[in-house]
Amino acid sequence: MQTAERAILRGSGSTRETEPGASVSCAHCGLAVPRGLMAPGQSLQFCCGACRTVYQAIHAEGLGAYYELRDRLPEDRAKSAPSAFSEMDDAVWRARAGRSREDGLFEADLLLEGLHCAACVWLVERTLTQTPGVKEGRLDFVRRRVHVVLDLQEAPLSGLCQRLARIGYVPHPVAQGGEEVRRREERAMMIRIGIAGAVAGNVMLIAFALYGGWFDGMTREFEGFFRWASLLISLPSMLYAAQPFYRGALGGLRNRMLHMDLPISLGVLVGFGSGIVNTVRGTGEIYFDSVATLVFLLLVGRWLQLRQQRRAAESSELILALAPASARRWQEGQFRVVPAASLGPGDRVEVLSGERIPSDGLVEEGRSSVDQSLLSGESKPLTVGPGDVVFGGTVNVEMRLVVRLTQGLAASRVGRLTELVEQAGQARAPIVTLADRIASVFILSILALSVLTFALWSVVDTSRAVDHVIALLIVTCPCALGLATPLAITAAIGKAARSGILVRSGAAIETLGRLRGGVVYFDKTGTLTLGRMVLVDWHGPEWVQRLAAIAEEGTLHPVGVALRKALRSEHEDAEVSEREVVPGGGLRVSIDGRQIVLGAPRFVDPGGHLAPLELRVKTRSWTDEALTPVWIAVDGEVVAGAAIGDALRPEAEGAIARLRAGGFTVRILSGDHAQVVRRIGAKLGLAPEDCLGDQSPEAKLEVIAASAEHQATIMVGDGVNDAAALARATVGIAVHGGAEAALSAADVFIDRPDLARVLKLIQGSRRTVSVIRGNVAFSLVYNLIGGGLAIAGLLNPLFAAVLMPFSSLTVVSNSFRFDFGGD
Amino acid sequence: MSVLFLVLPLALLVATGFVVAFIWSVRGGQLDDLDTPALRVLHDDVERTAPASGPDDPPR
């Protein structure tokens, strides 16, 4: 037990860096430990024997990660959902995210983060059905969308979203429209598959009878009957189910392009046509069984492709909710709520503590701190006062502000940024997939060979020329290209999703899998680091911690939040009075009659001579490490100091070392101060020239665009300031807890806070690509042999009918066999 | 053997019935989501019927 406990301590130390000294809350349930039960000298404290037993049982089963997950959740919630979803109650905004039904109910789709398993489906759906006012709540696990129907009077959308976020599933609104069209399309495809499958199965059964007759003899009467029956059954498949191929081929011809549907359509039509002719003539081969099976298999491949593309399209439909949808504008002597879109230069707006500033402007009244991490990536809030410039989309963290706007929404910095993201996505060179590259060569060769075969056999034996051409077209059916590649990609996407990696486009997997090196740019704040302020160091007596935590009660300032979270103590009541917040400085408060002053050193001790020397030395080392020092004075005496900063993710160092070992150049691209970035880079073993700081979103985009011109460039980021860069990079990877803009701009979204998954993604993609290559190689060899035999006129129709599904099954099973690199 | 002339059309009729049933289920939206229902099998049925039956009494 002793060693186990020590190992546990080490294990949880990474997530518990906020714990200074001994904890007073129970290691299992988090409740306060009664003084009488405190075990002196032990770092793990329990409030009761039951908790100790459960704690030991959990660790004995090797499930200690539970505590890490549990401890991580509350902070994630705070980061991912700073807005409390208040914009969702705005009518203008709501109209984009959902629609009102005729019966007065409202329906909307939300994309959920953090779905893992069947239990999540249960939890989400149960939470929804138990929320009063929610009439319907269905979760689509793979698409990560939940469809809700609710009564807005009883259940506001914001409340529902808060509820979901509170249990760990952060919802993101999804733009409406197009859903109905796509659903109809997908259903039509499904019906085609169903019909083609039924036809293929039934025709195949009849074909068995005919093949039996071919060996053992059969009366002309029955043979004719079976042939006519086959023809009749095949009709729906040829006329209806195979339509997408005809359309594709025609569309390709119209654009003077060789579409993969062309040889497919040719094979199907020529096979079917000659089957009809031979049925009427009563002699020769009918190809109904082969053609029907071909149509069925290819439709399945097409459907998988369609689904995969659909998911890629869906990801870009997230609504960009960077700026609030409504604002309080000064008009007719008071502040009135108006839609943010109607705001223009010159308007005066009121922004309360915790709200987002609607657009760019100058502060007129009030002093506060503004969290600009949205635009700059800088983790420390900026102090602002009258006359200072503030940007739309940034969060006012401390006190009420009145802002005179200088820009409307579209011309604001965040508005232009949104535009930039869209442009960056279009500027990127389209990815040419392996199948695309092979297809045109493949199609040309088959068409040329068919003509050649026909010409050759016309000379030798005119009656058999058509037969051999059909045999060639059927045996060289591009199954590996049309079926196996989408299957392998779909299987890879499914397997990746199970480990929390959501891949938006199959092309991203192919690109990543083909990389043998390149540059990986990491954003700093929120990607390499935790992205939030935590208590890193504490200097001073422990009894002050309790006072500091009480003093920071209710604050929204990141430094205060960090202190409160880290120092959270027993929930006892304290008498708090005369609380005064000084923006950019700190706060003064009276707790149980004691005067507490807490904040920046120059605020707590303006003269700079009250603090003990030891604390001043400590503070200097903190500032050298780019940490924010906070001093605490009790009754006029500076007694303690705390260092607040953004800590590195525990797994960052290992992940980056492995990336570099894998042949990638790793660089940091951050909006934070160059000095801070270099320091973080040094910790990760990166050279100073690889750590770019002070990068605006526009500058980030330029760096990525310049890099992507001549080499493969992967961007890993999480914020709005990364969104344009993510969209422009060869492959953009957004990480957990990011803003909607980052999610919609990236090709891949990793929905767990774990950088090691970037590595997993690359490895899995490599395996996928090697499977695809194997499939293509196999089918090329198969086609060479089969095609050769057909041209030589040696291919027995029965033999062809057996070989065709055999080759398809081989590549299909091969596609599902590989391991993406699960948990 | 001539019974085949009767049985084959009959078999096709049955097959058509199944195809029609399939189309009906697709149109009804049963096949829109192919993955989540497999996970939903694990849930208890208790609360599934609760909202439909009117009074939302807590499951316990």
Side-chain angles (χ1 to χ4, degrees):
Chain A
M1 181 59 219
Q2 269 318 77
T3 50
E5 229 164 12
R6 230 176 287 129
I8 292 151
L9 264 179
R10 238 184 295 119
S12 59
S14 52
T15 53
R16 283 262 175 146
E17 72 285 292
T18 56
E19 216 83 55
S23 162
V24 279
S25 53
C26 175
H28 173 67
C29 67
L31 293 175
V33 179
R35 296 218 175 267
L37 284 176
M38 277 198 192
Q42 294 273 320
S43 44
L44 291 170
Q45 303 280 350
F46 296 94
C47 66
C48 59
C51 278
R52 175 178 285 276
T53 310
V54 172
Y55 187 91
Q56 287 168 357
I58 284 175
H59 275 292
E61 295 290 327
L63 300 173
Y66 159 76
Y67 290 101
E68 285 181 39
L69 285 170
R70 181 198 66 179
D71 291 346
R72 208 142 49 186
L73 276 171
E75 290 130 1
D76 289 342
R77 284 202 296 262
K79 181 175 183 292
S80 300
S83 66
F85 304 100
S86 52
E87 71 272 10
M88 296 203 175
D89 291 332
D90 185 80
V92 181
W93 194 89
R94 211 164 46 207
R96 288 200 294 159
R99 63 188 189 90
S100 294
R101 297 206 309 194
E102 283 163 15
D103 53 5
L105 298 174
F106 182 80
E107 67 181 343
D109 288 294
L110 298 165
L111 182 98
L112 293 189
E113 251 184 69
L115 292 172
H116 296 238
C117 57
C120 295
V121 179
W122 177 81
L123 189 56
V124 168
E125 293 193 342
R126 195 177 147 126
T127 304
L128 289 173
T129 48
Q130 288 190 347
T131 306
V134 175
K135 305 296 175 205
E136 201 185 311
R138 298 287 276 182
L139 179 72
D140 185 331
F141 181 68
V142 170
R143 293 169 65 219
R144 310 203 160 218
R145 292 192 174 204
V146 63
H147 179 79
V148 286
V149 177
L150 46 92
D151 185 348
L152 287 176
Q153 305 295 322
E154 252 185 285
L157 205 52
S158 61
L160 184 70
C161 288
Q162 278 169 19
R163 236 179 132 126
L164 285 171
R166 209 159 44 224
I167 54 169
Y169 307 99
V170 179
H172 297 281
V174 175
Q176 288 290 296
E179 178 81 354
E180 198 51 43
V181 177
R182 263 181 285 125
R183 186 175 294 154
R184 221 179 302 138
E185 216 172 83
E186 198 166 275
R187 283 181 186 173
M189 195 71 177
M190 190 69 109
I191 290 175
R192 283 183 212 279
I193 291 177
I195 290 176
V199 166
N202 283 293
V203 171
M204 194 68 88
L205 284 179
I206 297 179
F208 285 152
L210 281 170
Y211 291 141
W214 195 62
F215 286 117
D216 299 339
M218 185 187 267
T219 58
R220 297 284 306 167
E221 188 188 20
F222 274 120
E223 203 186 328
F225 174 65
F226 281 139
R227 288 163 76 112
W228 277 102
S230 297
L231 168 61
L232 199 75
I233 299 167
S234 307
L235 276 177
S237 183
M238 302 304 126
L239 298 181
Y240 174 73
Q243 272 177 11
F245 302 115
Y246 308 151
R247 270 202 295 261
L250 273 181
L253 283 180
R254 239 177 263 137
N255 295 322
R256 287 153 204 272
M257 271 166 53
L258 285 174
H259 198 276
M260 212 157 68
D261 286 346
L262 189 63
I264 296 174
S265 300
L266 269 181
V268 169
L269 287 177
V270 173
F272 188 58
S274 60
I276 294 177
V277 171
N278 288 345
T279 308
V280 175
R281 282 199 315 172
T283 172
E285 278 312 316
I286 56 165
Y287 296 93
F288 300 132
D289 53 333
S290 308
V291 172
T293 315
L294 189 71
V295 168
F296 172 62
L297 287 176
L298 288 173
L299 272 178
V300 172
R302 198 54 55 90
W303 175 73
L304 287 171
Q305 229 167 358
L306 182 83
R307 278 218 316 182
Q308 178 199 313
Q309 284 164 358
R310 244 183 76 158
R311 251 172 244 165
E314 276 168 359
S315 65
S316 57
E317 282 167 18
L318 288 178
I319 292 177
L320 296 183
L322 309 181
S326 62
R328 271 182 296 281
R329 178 168 61 188
W330 181 261
Q331 54 189 45
E332 295 151 21
Q334 65 184 82
F335 285 107
R336 290 187 176 199
V337 176
V338 294
S342 69
L343 293 173
D347 283 346
R348 284 181 80 214
V349 293
E350 181 189 41
V351 186
L352 300 181
S353 158
E355 287 186 341
R356 279 181 195 275
I357 296 165
S359 189
D360 302 358
L362 298 171
V363 177
E364 275 205 344
E365 278 174 40
R367 300 193 73 89
S368 181
S369 304
V370 174
D371 179 359
Q372 295 206 334
S373 59
L374 176 84
L375 291 172
S376 66
E378 191 186 334
S379 33
K380 262 184 243 175
L382 204 73
T383 310
V384 295
D388 286 338
V389 178
V390 287
F391 293 107
T394 56
V395 183
N396 175 16
V397 285
E398 275 183 316
M399 314 272 276
R400 172 180 174 272
L401 284 176
V402 175
V403 176
R404 166 87 60 188
L405 298 185
T406 51
Q407 301 288 355
L409 203 55
S412 71
R413 185 120 181 258
V414 79
R416 278 180 285 135
L417 208 58
T418 314
E419 216 170 288
L420 212 58
V421 174
E422 279 165 23
Q423 286 168 1
Q426 287 158 4
R428 184 165 65 174
I431 299 167
V432 182
T433 61
L434 192 64
D436 291 339
R437 282 187 300 162
I438 294 180
S440 53
V441 181
F442 185 80
I443 294 163
L444 261 180
S445 341
I446 290 180
L447 291 180
L449 284 176
S450 306
V451 173
L452 190 76
T453 312
F454 188 80
L456 279 177
W457 280 97
S458 298
V459 179
V460 182
D461 181 357
T462 323
S463 63
R464 288 169 65 190
V466 177
D467 278 3
H468 293 322
V469 169
I470 295 162
L472 176 70
L473 283 174
I474 287 176
V475 85
T476 55
C477 114
C479 267
L481 296 176
L483 182 63
T485 307
L487 258 179
I489 299 253
T490 309
I493 289 177
K495 283 172 184 168
R498 247 163 273 152
S499 22
I501 305 168
L502 302 185
V503 183
R504 261 66 200 261
S505 69
I509 287 207
E510 280 207 54
T511 313
L512 279 173
R514 267 186 268 150
L515 288 187
R516 284 295 169 270
V519 195
V520 186
Y521 282 96
F522 280 93
D523 169 47
K524 182 184 77 73
T525 314
T527 305
L528 288 175
T529 66
L530 296 168
R532 56 169 194 267
M533 298 288 199
V534 294
L535 180 65
V536 180
D537 202 0
W538 173 267
H539 178 86
E542 271 165 30
W543 58 269
V544 187
Q545 294 183 351
R546 181 182 153 262
L547 291 177
I550 295 169
E552 293 287 6
E553 201 61 53
T555 185
L556 281 174
H557 196 288
V559 170
V561 172
L563 271 179
R564 193 178 64 220
K565 270 196 187 135
L567 306 178
R568 197 172 15 194
S569 68
E570 296 140 274
H571 300 281
E572 57 184 276
D573 291 322
E575 202 175 304
V576 181
S577 59
E578 299 164 42
R579 195 162 185 276
E580 183 200 358
V581 178
V582 180
L587 54 84
R588 293 192 190 89
V589 65
S590 164
I591 299 169
D592 293 335
R594 308 182 84 159
Q595 283 300 319
I596 312 288
V597 185
L598 186 153
R602 67 183 145 63
F603 168 77
V604 177
D605 181 17
H609 49 265
L610 291 176
L613 182 69
E614 216 181 313
L615 181 58
R616 271 184 283 176
V617 172
K618 201 87 177 153
T619 305
R620 190 160 315 134
S621 74
W622 287 339
T623 30
D624 281 348
E625 281 179 56
L627 299 170
T628 307
V630 174
W631 284 4
I632 299 141
V634 180
D635 293 332
E637 196 188 336
V638 181
V639 288
I644 311 288
D646 192 2
L648 266 182
R649 280 190 194 279
E651 79 281 5
E653 209 176 330
I656 281 176
R658 280 171 65 197
L659 267 178
R660 296 175 75 188
F664 287 95
T665 309
V666 177
R667 296 206 174 114
I668 305 182
L669 191 59
S670 170
D672 214 341
H673 296 302
Q675 207 189 346
V676 181
V677 176
R678 274 201 292 273
R679 199 155 286 134
I680 290 277
K683 274 190 198 168
L684 294 168
L686 300 179
E689 64 267 23
D690 284 335
C691 306
L692 308 173
D694 288 322
Q695 301 285 319
S696 67
E698 294 84 356
K700 282 189 176 187
L701 172 60
E702 264 169 46
V703 170
I704 294 292
S707 170
E709 284 296 319
H710 54 91
Q711 62 188 328
T713 305
I714 302 174
M715 172 80 199
V716 187
D718 76 323
V720 174
N721 58 338
D722 304 316
L726 286 171
R728 182 64 185 83
T730 318
V731 177
I733 302 173
V735 294
H736 176 80
E740 281 90 337
L743 296 186
S744 62
D747 304 291
V748 180
F749 170 49
I750 297 179
D751 91 338
R752 284 167 216 184
D754 182 7
L755 286 179
R757 283 174 208 267
V758 174
L759 288 164
K760 187 177 273 186
L761 170 71
I762 294 174
Q763 283 161 357
S765 302
R766 284 189 180 161
R767 288 200 195 113
T768 312
V769 166
S770 73
V771 164
I772 293 175
R773 288 204 176 121
N775 280 344
V776 170
F778 169 81
S779 65
L780 281 183
V781 169
Y782 168 84
N783 281 340
L784 273 178
I785 297 171
L789 289 175
I791 295 168
L794 297 171
L795 201 63
N796 181 316
L798 176 63
F799 198 53
V802 173
L803 264 189
M804 207 267 293
F806 168 75
S807 85
S808 302
L809 282 179
T810 310
V811 288
V812 165
S813 59
N814 196 32
S815 301
F816 279 106
R817 186 186 47 83
F818 75 102
D819 175 26
F820 194 83
D823 275 308
Chain B
M1 272 292 258
S2 58
V3 74
L4 266 177
F5 290 111
L6 181 70
V7 170
L8 189 70
L10 267 180
L12 286 182
L13 210 65
V14 173
T16 314
F18 280 109
V19 170
V20 168
F22 176 75
I23 292 172
W24 168 80
S25 69
V26 170
R27 292 240 164 99
Q30 289 187 33
L31 295 164
D32 285 354
D33 179 3
L34 297 175
D35 306 271
T36 322
L39 301 173
R40 230 175 250 135
V41 167
L42 303 168
H43 303 179
D44 291 335
D45 283 334
V46 189
E47 60 269 352
R48 180 70 47 77
T49 47
S53 63
D56 9 13
D57 35 7
R60 254 165 300 187

